[in-house]
Amino acid sequence: MAFLHRLLKCRRNAAAAVASASFLVLVLVFSVLLAATRHDDSPAIAAPSLLGEEEPGASCEAALRPLPDDAARCRYLSSPRHPPCAPAGYVDYLRLFYCGFGRAPWLGGAALALWLLVLFYLLGDTASQYFCASLEGLSEALRLPPAIAGVTLLSLGNGAPDVLSSVVAFAAGGGGAGDVGLSSVLGGALFVSTVVAGVVAIVAAGRRGDAAVAIERRGFVRDVCFLLVALCYLVAVLLTGTVTVWAAASFLSLYAAYVLLVWTSHCCAAAAEDDELGDGKKSAAAANHSDLAAPLLVDGDAPPPLPVSCKATTPPPPPPQKTLSQRALDALHSPLYLPRRLTIPDIAAHRWSKRYAVASALLAPVLLAAISYPSIPAVLLSAAVAGAVLAAAAAHATASAAPPETRCGRIPWLAGGFLMSVLWSYMLARELVALLVAIGLVAGVKASLLGATVLAWGNSLGDLVADVALAVHGGAGGAQTAVSGCYAGPAFNTMVGLGLSLTLAAGARYPRAYAVPADASAYQAAGFLVAALVWALVVLPARGMRLDRVLGVGLLVVYLGFLAVRLGSLGASGS
């Protein structure tokens, strides 16, 4: 009977795992489609319709290359119709460069580089400050088990820049954007699985006085093997050259199978551990971990009051006066901070402000309508009315001192914060991809190379800093978490990011197949990524699952080999 009870429990939890993964994909698809919806005759955004048809044979590079100088390119871009070079984002960067900085191209290049850094910052900051906070709050409010939350909502929070950049690139259509989406995901997965994992292994092995860090074998082999399966599926799609909506959806469904496997192994391992414990030990273990198993939120109730020793007995000291330089920095940061703060619902306790909460309830529907249907006054008016109603409700239902505390009171705010952070991340990712394509045209560099390097580095630098910090300060557990992230993260970005992108792109052309934009760089990135995964899969078990310099140096050599091949092919094409 005990075995049957555990089996039924595992089956129920496995169903919850599949349902959570399916819910994740459906919510993301709905949010992206809602953010991407455009009216075709929109004058505010001179961009091709997302997920629409591309002009056959249209090439901005082929149109600009024969022109003799920057002045001629400016005249061409200023003409009423230049479809091959129509901007894919909200700013016409080519026209800005050739017309605004025609006499000082170095200044135009510096401006584009500076704006690229700003977009990277905004995308990463939106994901970390708003997107991740909403997802963590939703996982707590929905009482998702930690294993399910880790591989669904929290993985989405960590991989949001990569996933949304890929979706935007495939949705933008021609002009090299599709190449950017494919190469950025593969390049990011390669960077994290080689450079980040290699540095973590070297740092973990270089700590003096500590025992060698051993990685848990089962989870490592599971993550690496699933990533290898996803890469094999992707390479088969690239070799075919086209993909149907059903084939793309099956690629996306690989992640549901991964979530199911993670939870099943977690459940069965917990059941086996319970069997090994005696009744007395089991009771002691339950008593020791009761605080971890307790739900974080209770229906209709606020969290339990803090003990007397945790309550503040004296009022907090007033904040220190800001210096003139700090005020100047705040003034420079305000244009980057205020638009998001005023439109993204945020109930994080350390950032709570009723004024901002009411303002976000008022302005979020207006921004959503302005992005989705900018040229339909009725939609904008309806959004303004809905915003006014929501703002009045927020002003009545919230307190000035603290954010909503009940489960029912938090979920609407968390859902709104999730939706608006998706919209902002989508807007920023769209602009980032458009800027990279424009920089590639200006510099004469393939967009796929920029996606595999610049975009991949920008989206992955946060992983490098966070994982190395975990390896340095987190002990053996921190190193284990860092290594797990180096493979679980790329698996999520590959299966969900590319799977969702291909599904949306193929669905827009249904029943026809979608021609996958791929060049030699995609095959090179996939090949080196497979080499890095095989190296880790062979070296780690052979060395007792211990992190050491052999593993780390080997992974770094693989990435240096990839860069050498890419730069060599760039030089060959340039000559």
Side-chain angles (χ1 to χ4, degrees), residues 161-456:
D162 304 88
V163 171
L164 291 173
S165 297
S166 174
V167 170
V168 166
F170 276 90
D179 291 337
V180 172
L182 181 61
S183 59
S184 66
V185 172
L186 291 175
L190 178 62
F191 182 85
V192 172
S193 299
T194 55
V195 176
V196 178
V199 172
V200 166
I202 293 173
V203 168
R207 292 182 306 182
R208 297 181 179 179
D210 293 343
V213 177
I215 302 301
E216 193 264 327
R217 180 188 297 267
R218 180 172 52 191
F220 169 78
V221 173
R222 177 198 63 213
D223 295 342
V224 172
C225 289
F226 248 94
L227 185 51
L228 281 172
V229 170
L231 286 174
C232 292
Y233 196 116
L234 180 61
V235 169
V237 170
L238 297 181
L239 291 174
T240 304
T242 59
V243 62
T244 65
V245 65
W246 304 114
S250 64
F251 180 61
L252 179 61
S253 66
L254 282 177
Y255 199 75
Y258 174 72
V259 173
L260 176 62
L261 181 62
V262 168
W263 181 249
T264 302
S265 60
H266 173 78
C267 174
C268 294
E273 184 179 352
D274 288 343
D275 283 342
E276 293 176 0
L277 292 174
D279 293 338
K281 292 182 179 180
K282 193 180 302 183
S283 301
N288 291 334
H289 298 289
S290 59
D291 56 332
L292 298 178
L296 295 172
L297 292 174
V298 183
D299 271 323
D301 297 325
L306 293 173
V308 176
S309 58
C310 296
K311 295 181 179 179
T313 56
T314 59
Q321 292 290 334
K322 291 186 176 181
T323 63
L324 183 61
S325 61
Q326 290 175 329
R327 293 179 181 177
L329 288 176
D330 289 342
L332 292 175
H333 187 253
S334 294
L336 307 179
Y337 171 77
L338 282 178
R340 294 174 295 157
R341 190 72 170 93
L342 291 172
T343 53
I344 302 178
D346 184 15
I347 57 171
H350 63 286
R351 291 194 301 263
W352 169 251
S353 168
K354 183 174 181 177
R355 291 179 298 175
Y356 282 123
V358 174
S360 65
L362 172 66
L363 298 177
V366 178
L367 176 63
L368 188 59
I371 294 299
S372 303
Y373 300 97
S375 59
I376 304 181
V379 174
L380 296 176
L381 181 61
S382 301
V385 172
V389 172
L390 292 175
H396 175 73
T398 57
S400 300
E405 296 179 339
T406 64
R407 181 170 177 259
C408 294
R410 292 173 64 86
I411 287 181
W413 288 98
L414 293 170
F418 171 80
L419 177 62
M420 294 308 298
S421 58
V422 166
L423 178 61
W424 267 100
S425 298
Y426 191 93
M427 293 163 53
L428 293 169
R430 179 187 180 94
E431 203 64 21
L432 182 59
V433 171
L435 177 57
L436 279 177
V437 172
I439 290 175
L441 291 171
V442 169
V445 179
K446 285 187 175 182
S448 59
L449 176 61
L450 294 176
T453 54
V454 177
L455 184 56

